[in-house]
Amino acid sequence: MVTAGAAALLLAIGVVSPAQAQGKADPGRLNDTSAAQIAELQRIKGSLSKAESKVDSRLVVENRIRRGALTANLPHLNTGVAVTDAETVLVDIRADKVTDLLTGAIRKAGGAVRHTSPKTGTVRAELPLGAVNGIAAREDVLLIDAASEAMTSRATSPGELKTSTTKGESKEARANRLAEQAKAAVRQRSAALTSQGDRAHASDTARSQFKISGLGVKLCALSDGVDSLVALQAAGELPEVDVLAGQEGSGDEGSAMLEILHDVAPGAELGFATAFNGDASFADNIRALRFEKKCDVIVDDVLYFNESPFQDGIIAQAVNDVTKDGALFFSSAGNEGNVADGSAGHWEGNFVDSGKSVGRYAGSAHDFDATPAGTQIVNPLSASSRGIPVLLWWNDALARSTNDYDLYLLDGSGNVVGFSQNVQTGQADPYERVNPSAGGLNVAVVKFRGDDKYLSLSALRGRFRDNGDLKGYNTPGVTRGHSAAKDAFSVAATPAAGAWTGTQEPGDPANPAGPYPDTFSGSSKLERFSSDGPRRVFFNADGSPVASPAGEVRQKPDITAADGVATKTPGFSPFFGTSAAAPHAAAIAGLVLSGNPGMRGADVRDALTRTALDIAAPGVDNRAGAGIVMADKVLAYTGASPQPLAKAESPTVVPTTGNPYLKPGNTADVKLPVRNGGDGTAASVSVVLTSPTPGVTVGPRSKSYGTIEPGQTALNSFTLTVPASHQVGVPVTLEAKVSFAGSLSPTTQRFAIPVGQPSSETKTFSYTGAPVAIPDGNTEGVSVQLPVSGVGLPSKLAFSVDGATCSATEGSTTVGIDHTYASDLVGTLTSPGGVTATLFQRNGGNGNNLCQVVFDDTAAQPFSSVTQTQAPFTGTWRPTTALGQLAKSSADGTWTFKAVDTVSSDKGSIRTVSLRLNGYVN
C-alpha cells in the first residue's frame, strides 16, 4: 500500500503522473517498495541526532544499514561510501582548530591520521565507520564528510573515470611495474621525445628566434603523482625535479605534465607536489610550492567535487594567495563538455517551485521546465552517464548554509538508487552529491526547507539528454572551482595532432584533429569535451556577498592550448584532455618570464590574451576564451632578451703554508670560478668577494671577469686571511656577489670554508632502545632521539640504519629498520638546531628492510636509484637532501630521526640507527 506522503513525493520527483498518484495502476514504475524506500530516507533525515546532523548523510545511512537500523529494505540503494574490509572509511573532519586533543581522539577511536591542515582546520583520517558519530559529537568538530574526491582532466570515455579514491593496482604490481620501467629506461635510452604541442604553438621557433629557454624560471605542477619520474630521468626525458617532501603522490599524470613543461621550456627548473590527498592537502601544497619552493608558474589539472561554483573555496583561496604574491597559476578548464557541441551535463538557474509538496516533511521539488506550458521534475541522464559524480550546489555561502536542498537518483521503475540529504542548519556547505552506478537514471532536486535559491546541477563527464517524453536540460557554465579563480588562467583544449579516438556518447560526431607538423591557425577546432563558461559567483572568499545580487560573472575559460600529444610517460601517449593543455600554456608563460624577468602577472595575462589566435565564436567566448596562445606571437608582442646568468661556483682554497688544511692565522689563495649558465652573453661581469665572518679579510674586494659566453667559465684569484683568534671548526663564510649586464643580475652565492684539521676519530651515537613501531599509513610517523655530546662543530656527518645480520625477511629482528614495502617510508633527520634533511623518500619498491645503510653526502649514487631487487637495502648512498646543511652549528644536543609510513597495509619498526660524527683536531 502506498502512503499519501510517499505518493506525493513520487509525484514531485516525476515517477508518477497526477492521475497515477490518485491510485491508477503503474506496475512498471510504482510499487510499495519504492514508496517505502523514500519514506525511510525521509524518516532518517528527521531522526538525526545532534552528532549525526554534522555527518555526511551517506555515512549516516551506510552506518545504519550495517547496523540493521533501517525499518525498510533498500535493495537498490548505493550510498557511494567506500568501506574497507576492516569496516573503516576515509573522512575529512572539519574543525574549529586542529589540535593534539582532536588527533588523539581520532587515534583513541581506532583511527589513523592521514593529513592535518591547520590552515584550513581539516584532518583527513581513516576511521572505523562505527566511530564516526563519536568524533562528530565533539564540540570542536564542525562537520565530518566522506573524503573529498577529485579527478584529473585527462580525457576519458564513458565508464572510464577514475577518481582520487579509486582503487588502483596493488602496491606489489605498482612496485614491479616501476622497477621494470627503471631497468628498461637504462637499457633502451633513446632520443628524447618532444610534445607535438611544442611545434603547434611555435614554441620551438620562438626559442630559436629569441634565444630563450625558460632559464631563470621555476615551473611547478600538481596532479596525481610522478610514479615514473626516476625512469624518465634515467631515459633523459626529465631533469632534476624538486618534489615537495612526502608529496610525490601516486599515478603518472604529473610525470606527463612535467614532460610537457620541459619540452616547451627546457631551461626552466621544475617542481611537483601531489594534489590527490584531499582538498586541504591540495591547498597546502599550492602554498608550499610558492612560498617554500619559490615556484614562479604553477599548473594543475585537478578538480575536487566539493569545490563550489559560487564562491572561492579553500583551494581557490590558496590560488588567490599565490597569485597575490606574484606567481602565475594555470589550471585545466575541465573535460565536462559544452552546450555548443551538445556534450554538456550541466544546468544552472533559479529554483522553480513545482507547487507540489514532498513527503511527510515540508518541501517541494524543482521544476526544470519553467515554461507555463509544462512541468518536469527530473533531469534525465544519458545511458552512458554512469560512474560519474552528480553535484548539486545552491547560492549560500560555504559553511553557512541555512537553506536545505536534497538530491535523489531514481531508476526507471521508481527505485531510489542514490541520494544525498545532508542537514544544512548554518554550518554546512550548500552541497549534495550522488553517484549513478548505472546510466539512464533520473535526477531530482528537492527543496526540503528554506528560500528559493540559484542552483547548479552538474553531471561531471555525463550528459543530461532527452529520454522519451523527458527533456534533457543543459545550460553553459560547467567550469568551476579554483580554475575559475579570478586571477587563475583557465585553459581549454585543442588537439595538436591526431584526433582523440575515445568517445563521450554513442553517435557523437568525429573529434577534430590538429595541425601538426604545422602550427595552429584560426581554423583550429576545440576539443568537443572541453568545458564551457562563464562562471557566475555570488560570494567573496570570506563569505560576504558580491556587490550585485545577480552575482559576478567571470570570463572563463581564459585561453586555449594543445592536447593530444606524445610523451614517454607510460599510458600517456597520446595525452588528451585539458590536463595536457594547461602545462603547454604554463610553459609558454614561463618563456615570457624568461625573456622578461620581473614582468607583472597582469602584463603576462594581457600579452597572452591579446596575441591569442581567435577560434570558436568571434572574439572572447565561453569555450576558447581569448583563443590559442602562441609562443612566437606573444614573445613578438612582449619582446624578449636572452638573459645571461652568471653565478660563482665552489672555490678552491689553498693555504700558503703548504698545509692542506686552512687553520687560524693562515693566509690562503682562493680561486673562484664564475660560470654563465644563461641564454645570453654575460657582459661586464664583476665579482665582489667578502666575508661576514669576524676578523676575516679578503683581497682584493672586487675583480672584473670581463665577458663570459653562454656555457663558459672564467676564473680569478683572491687572497683570504683568517685571524689567529678564529675558533677551530667554525667555517669561514665567503659571499660572492656576481654582477653583470642583465635582468637576473646580481647573483649571490655563499660558501662555507672549513677551518681546522678534521679529526680522524668518528664518534657514533646510536639508538639501541626497544623497537619502535612505525604507525601504518599515518603522516604523523614516529621518532627516536639521539643525544650527542663532546663533538662540537662537525667536520663530517653521516647517518646509518644499522643491523647485525641483513635479511629481507618480513619482521626481521636483526636489521636496522624492518618494513615490508620500503617505498612506503619517508625518513628524516633533524639537528639540535631544528634543521631537517630528508634521508629517503618512498624508495625501494616492494623490497623489505634497511640494514647497514649509510647516508653520506659524498656517496656516488643517490638512494632514490635503488630498486626492489636490491633488498635488503645495504651500502652507502647519498640522501634525498644534503646532510651538510645540518653541520653548520654545534652537533651537541638531541638529534631526531623520524620515519613516516605514507601508505596503509604494510608495517615495520625502527630498531637501531646511528649518527656518525667527526669533529676537529684542537
Side-chain angles (χ1 to χ4, degrees):
M1 190 68 182
V2 181
T3 66
L9 176 60
L10 292 169
L11 171 62
I13 57 180
V15 177
V16 297
S17 68
Q20 292 165 339
Q22 295 301 315
K24 292 190 177 182
D26 183 16
R29 304 183 77 181
L30 177 61
N31 52 52
D32 291 345
T33 300
S34 58
Q37 292 168 7
I38 293 168
E40 176 67 4
L41 291 171
Q42 292 246 319
R43 184 193 67 79
I44 291 172
K45 184 160 185 173
S47 67
L48 297 179
S49 67
K50 181 180 177 181
E52 286 178 320
S53 69
K54 295 192 286 184
V55 177
D56 188 319
S57 62
R58 295 171 297 157
L59 290 170
V60 172
V61 172
E62 185 68 35
N63 191 25
R64 292 197 183 189
I65 289 173
R66 288 173 181 263
R67 289 191 292 112
L70 299 184
T71 61
N73 188 25
L74 296 164
H76 301 282
L77 186 67
N78 178 10
T79 65
V81 174
V83 184
T84 69
D85 293 341
E87 296 274 315
T88 62
V89 289
L90 193 64
V91 297
D92 290 326
I93 302 167
R94 317 290 182 179
D96 288 324
K97 185 178 181 181
V98 176
T99 64
D100 291 341
L101 289 174
L102 176 57
T103 56
I106 292 168
R107 288 191 293 271
K108 187 175 180 180
V113 175
R114 300 296 185 217
H115 179 78
T116 60
S117 174
K119 175 77 174 176
T120 65
T122 301
V123 178
R124 172 159 282 202
E126 188 166 341
L127 275 176
L129 180 60
V132 170
N133 291 344
I135 297 296
R138 292 177 56 88
E139 290 298 321
D140 55 351
V141 171
L142 302 176
L143 295 168
I144 298 183
D145 296 318
S148 54
E149 290 183 78
M151 62 183 179
T152 66
S153 293
R154 182 186 187 186
T156 56
S157 294
E160 294 180 351
L161 180 64
K162 295 180 180 179
T163 74
S164 55
T165 60
T166 299
K167 189 173 182 179
E169 63 184 336
S170 68
K171 287 200 301 185
E172 182 174 13
R174 176 179 180 269
N176 290 334
R177 173 175 58 82
L178 296 182
E180 286 303 312
Q181 283 180 18
K183 291 179 186 176
V186 175
R187 290 195 309 265
Q188 304 167 8
R189 187 175 177 123
S190 58
L193 182 66
T194 301
S195 161
Q196 294 96 325
D198 188 48
R199 173 84 284 272
H201 282 290
S203 306
D204 53 355
T205 54
R207 289 194 305 273
S208 175
Q209 178 183 352
F210 294 98
K211 295 181 172 57
I212 57 171
S213 66
L215 177 98
V217 177
K218 189 169 184 177
L219 307 177
C220 297
L222 297 117
S223 186
D224 54 358
V226 284
D227 282 357
S228 296
L229 178 58
V230 172
L232 291 168
Q233 289 170 327
E237 289 294 328
L238 283 174
E240 181 180 346
V241 177
D242 191 3
V243 180
L244 196 63
Q247 298 300 312
E248 63 287 324
S250 180
D252 249 339
E253 203 150 324
S255 305
M257 292 175 70
L258 289 169
E259 279 198 71
I260 292 170
L261 292 173
H262 185 58
D263 287 348
V264 176
E269 296 179 69
L270 299 178
F272 179 81
T274 185
F276 258 30
N277 194 27
D279 55 351
S281 171
F282 185 14
D284 290 343
N285 286 352
I286 289 171
R287 292 187 178 95
L289 287 179
R290 175 59 178 176
F291 299 116
E292 296 176 25
K293 295 299 185 180
K294 308 302 179 185
C295 301
D296 300 296
V297 182
I298 303 173
V299 58
D300 87 284
D301 68 337
V302 171
L303 173 69
Y304 270 84
F305 304 149
N306 65 344
E307 290 191 72
S308 172
F310 299 141
Q311 180 183 343
D312 287 348
I314 60 175
I315 301 170
Q317 289 171 34
V319 172
N320 296 341
D321 286 348
V322 301
T323 54
K324 183 179 179 180
D325 191 62
L328 300 178
F329 196 97
F330 291 77
S331 185
S332 302
N335 307 337
E336 283 67 66
N338 59 84
V339 170
D341 283 319
S343 54
H346 174 75
W347 175 92
E348 65 180 75
N350 292 314
F351 174 81
V352 176
D353 195 329
S354 63
K356 298 180 176 67
S357 62
V358 179
R360 54 182 294 194
Y361 297 98
S364 55
H366 170 66
D367 182 5
F368 287 94
D369 183 356
T371 66
T375 299
Q376 184 175 310
I377 314 300
V378 295
N379 211 357
L381 290 165
S382 69
S384 297
S385 297
R386 63 187 184 279
I388 60 167
V390 177
L391 316 177
L392 173 67
W393 288 89
W394 56 99
N395 65 328
D396 275 342
L398 292 171
R400 300 183 194 176
S401 182
T402 56
N403 299 287
D404 196 340
Y405 285 76
D406 296 325
L407 190 60
Y408 295 94
L409 273 177
L410 295 103
D411 64 17
S413 298
N415 288 298
V416 178
V417 295
F419 74 99
S420 184
Q421 50 183 35
N422 296 328
V423 177
Q424 281 85 20
T425 56
Q427 63 183 25
D429 290 338
Y431 169 62
E432 305 286 350
R433 171 190 164 189
V434 293
N435 295 76
S437 56
L441 302 177
N442 295 324
V443 182
V445 176
V446 174
K447 183 180 72 172
F448 188 75
R449 179 186 59 251
D451 299 331
D452 295 352
K453 305 299 291 184
Y454 188 88
L455 308 178
S456 167
L457 181 67
S458 304
L460 302 183
R461 306 284 174 94
R463 302 226 190 131
F464 294 125
R465 199 167 195 174
D466 296 353
N467 183 10
D469 294 336
L470 295 174
K471 175 179 172 54
Y473 287 90
N474 292 285
T475 62
V478 68
T479 196
R480 65 190 53 227
H482 65 280
S483 176
K486 188 174 182 180
D487 291 326
F489 290 88
S490 178
V491 186
T494 180
W500 184 48
T501 57
T503 60
Q504 285 180 282
E505 295 277 351
D508 276 357
N511 294 308
Y516 183 83
D518 295 327
T519 59
F520 289 120
S521 68
S523 62
S524 296
K525 303 295 183 183
L526 277 168
E527 295 284 15
R528 297 185 65 257
F529 52 69
S530 198
S531 294
D532 61 8
R535 173 65 359 245
R536 185 185 300 272
V537 297
F538 290 89
F539 297 93
N540 298 308
D542 62 4
S544 61
V546 298
S548 171
E552 170 192 305
V553 177
R554 295 177 180 173
Q555 168 56 50
K556 298 291 173 179
D558 296 279
I559 51 179
T560 301
D563 79 335
V565 299
T567 75
K568 278 194 177 176
T569 301
F572 288 84
S573 190
F575 181 15
F576 278 96
T578 53
S579 282
H584 280 100
I588 291 171
L591 293 179
V592 172
L593 291 179
S594 180
N596 299 271
M599 179 178 277
R600 297 184 313 126
D603 293 332
V604 176
R605 177 178 291 275
D606 178 69
L608 289 173
T609 55
R610 280 181 180 272
T611 60
L613 283 174
D614 189 14
I615 61 171
V620 177
D621 64 80
N622 72 328
R623 292 192 295 151
I628 304 173
V629 292
M630 297 297 294
D632 57 344
K633 293 182 182 297
V634 69
L635 288 168
Y637 179 82
T638 63
S641 300
Q643 296 297 316
L645 184 61
K647 289 185 177 181
E649 297 187 327
S650 295
T652 301
V653 179
V654 180
T656 57
T657 61
N659 191 303
Y661 304 110
L662 179 66
K663 297 182 178 180
N666 285 176
T667 296
D669 178 59
V670 178
K671 287 185 167 47
L672 182 70
V674 173
R675 182 177 185 276
N676 178 14
D679 294 327
T681 300
S684 303
V685 180
S686 64
V687 173
V688 173
L689 186 64
T690 58
S691 176
T693 306
V696 172
T697 60
V698 179
R701 183 175 183 273
S702 65
K703 277 196 172 183
S704 172
Y705 278 64
T707 298
I708 308 176
E709 296 298 326
Q712 300 300 305
T713 300
L715 190 68
N716 257 321
S717 295
F718 297 81
T719 299
L720 168 69
T721 302
V722 182
S725 60
H726 190 84
Q727 181 182 348
V728 169
V730 175
V732 166
T733 298
L734 290 180
E735 187 171 279
K737 180 181 177 182
V738 182
S739 299
F740 50 95
S743 296
L744 300 179
S745 173
T747 62
T748 301
Q749 259 64 49
R750 283 192 164 208
F751 305 101
I753 310 301
V755 176
Q757 180 177 341
S759 172
S760 59
E761 179 188 4
T762 301
K763 295 185 177 181
T764 301
F765 302 87
S766 301
Y767 173 79
T768 56
V772 180
I774 303 170
D776 183 32
N778 191 324
T779 57
E780 295 181 314
V782 70
S783 300
V784 297
Q785 295 185 331
L786 300 163
V788 171
S789 61
V791 174
L793 288 158
S795 61
K796 184 177 180 182
L797 164 64
F799 182 84
S800 64
V801 178
D802 303 319
T805 304
C806 297
S807 163
T809 303
E810 181 177 348
S812 171
T813 61
T814 62
V815 300
I817 295 178
D818 73 280
H819 200 285
T820 51
Y821 280 85
S823 60
D824 286 1
L825 297 178
V826 176
T828 58
L829 180 66
T830 301
S831 72
V835 181
T836 298
T838 301
L839 300 167
F840 50 89
Q841 182 172 311
R842 300 200 65 186
N843 311 121
N846 64 8
N848 297 348
N849 305 342
L850 279 72
C851 177
Q852 300 176 13
V853 180
V854 178
F855 293 94
D856 189 322
D857 287 348
T858 63
Q861 296 295 324
F863 192 71
S864 60
S865 66
V866 300
T867 65
Q868 60 198 42
T869 59
Q870 294 168 274
F873 302 104
T874 62
T876 301
W877 304 88
R878 285 202 311 274
T880 301
T881 58
L883 293 173
Q885 60 184 317
L886 280 62
K888 295 180 179 180
S889 59
S890 174
D892 297 336
T894 300
W895 293 69
T896 302
F897 169 69
K898 180 178 181 180
V900 175
D901 182 342
T902 62
V903 184
S904 60
S905 78
D906 282 272
K907 300 178 181 179
S909 303
I910 302 172
R911 294 185 174 275
T912 175
V913 296
S914 299
L915 192 60
R916 303 179 182 183
L917 295 164
N918 292 64
Y920 285 89
V921 175
N922 290 323

